[in-house]
Amino acid sequence: VETSGVKAWVAMATVGESTDGEALILFGTGEAAAQTQVADEAGLELERQDILAAQGPVLHMACAMCLFATLLCIMTVASIGLLVYLAYEYSKHSTDNCDVPLQLWVQVVSLTALFNLACNQHDRYGTLGARIFCGWSFDPENPERPPFRVQFYNMLIPSFTALWNCVGLYWVSKAHEPRDGFHPGGNSTVDLPEEKISRCTEVAAGLLSAVRAYAGFNLLYSTFILIGVAGLSQ
């Protein structure tokens, strides 16, 4: 009987040890799986952060381009509206000569706008002006950097337009100077006797306001385009 009890006790001990060993193995396996899952989640989180970090500059650039395009459209519409206003005032005062040549300024602006419309509109081969005056056309199948003469031509009209707007603002400021500061034949822009010269502020006040508004706004418009293009190119 004693021998049978000892055998039974040994068998139970053996079964208990086996059960504990299996439990430890299962516990270790579960802990390893949990650690693997945590490591995988950490790796996915790092990968997601890397993707967001890489997409951040792209998203910022896209937002900047959308904002620039929106403001450019608004300012372009405003510029066209001011050009219509300038043409209207010119039609009212085209024969009202005064102490500064406002009509000449408007005529040059109109010719410049027509030239840009006819020669400086871009198509897939560049601009008509570049083909006529520079003998160069863009090849879409073999794109290359425009030569220096084309770059100079592309900067010529915007530079002249900005300079002419400054001239217009200068003439507007001269028109608002007191009569005592007006010296015919000297610093005057019209070489006529003083008694035959009318003040633009008196006979062409509307045209004077239109020139000031158009010239000032287009200087701001050109500066905005220059800064925007330079910023987006960085």
Side-chain angles (χ1 to χ4, degrees):
V1 174
E2 292 180 357
T3 304
S4 299
V6 171
K7 291 181 178 180
W9 181 83
V10 171
M12 291 178 60
T14 304
V15 172
E17 290 177 356
S18 176
T19 303
D20 293 341
E22 291 177 357
L24 289 174
I25 292 173
L26 291 175
F27 178 77
T29 304
E31 186 177 2
Q35 291 177 353
T36 302
Q37 183 179 1
V38 171
D40 291 341
E41 292 178 354
L44 290 175
E45 180 65 21
L46 289 175
E47 184 178 356
R48 188 178 69 85
Q49 292 179 359
D50 291 340
I51 293 174
L52 291 176
Q55 290 179 344
V58 178
L59 293 176
H60 292 162
M61 176 63 70
C63 293
M65 291 181 66
C66 290
L67 179 61
F68 175 73
T70 302
L71 292 177
L72 184 62
C73 290
I74 295 174
M75 295 183 73
T76 300
V77 173
S79 179
I80 295 174
L82 288 174
L83 182 61
V84 173
Y85 171 51
L86 182 66
Y88 171 74
E89 290 295 338
Y90 175 79
S91 66
K92 291 172 56 179
H93 303 286
S94 59
T95 58
D96 295 334
N97 295 322
C98 51
D99 50 355
V100 290
L102 299 178
Q103 290 80 8
L104 173 64
W105 190 87
V106 177
Q107 291 166 4
V108 173
V109 168
S110 302
L111 290 175
T112 304
L114 291 175
F115 179 82
N116 285 328
L117 186 63
C119 296
N120 288 334
Q121 298 300 309
H122 284 268
D123 55 29
R124 60 178 309 204
Y125 299 107
T127 64
L128 179 63
R131 293 194 290 271
I132 293 176
F133 301 108
C134 302
W136 180 86
S137 61
F138 179 77
D139 186 1
E141 297 181 356
N142 186 24
E144 60 180 5
R145 185 181 180 87
F148 175 76
R149 66 182 185 277
V150 177
Q151 298 180 38
F152 177 78
Y153 168 78
N154 290 335
M155 290 298 300
L156 186 62
I157 297 300
S159 299
F160 172 78
T161 302
L163 178 62
W164 194 246
N165 286 327
C166 292
V167 171
L169 292 177
Y170 170 75
W171 281 344
V172 168
S173 66
K174 293 292 290 183
H176 284 89
E177 287 184 355
R179 175 64 71 176
D180 294 340
F182 180 80
H183 302 288
N187 296 329
S188 168
T189 57
V190 181
D191 190 10
L192 292 174
E194 182 176 355
E195 61 273 7
K196 295 183 180 180
I197 300 176
S198 300
R199 298 298 304 272
C200 289
T201 52
E202 298 171 358
V203 300
L207 182 58
L208 200 66
S209 299
V211 170
R212 179 174 56 245
Y214 182 83
F217 181 82
N218 274 274
L219 279 177
L220 178 64
Y221 182 54
S222 301
T223 304
F224 172 76
I225 293 177
L226 182 62
I227 295 175
V229 172
L232 292 176
S233 64
Q234 297 298 322

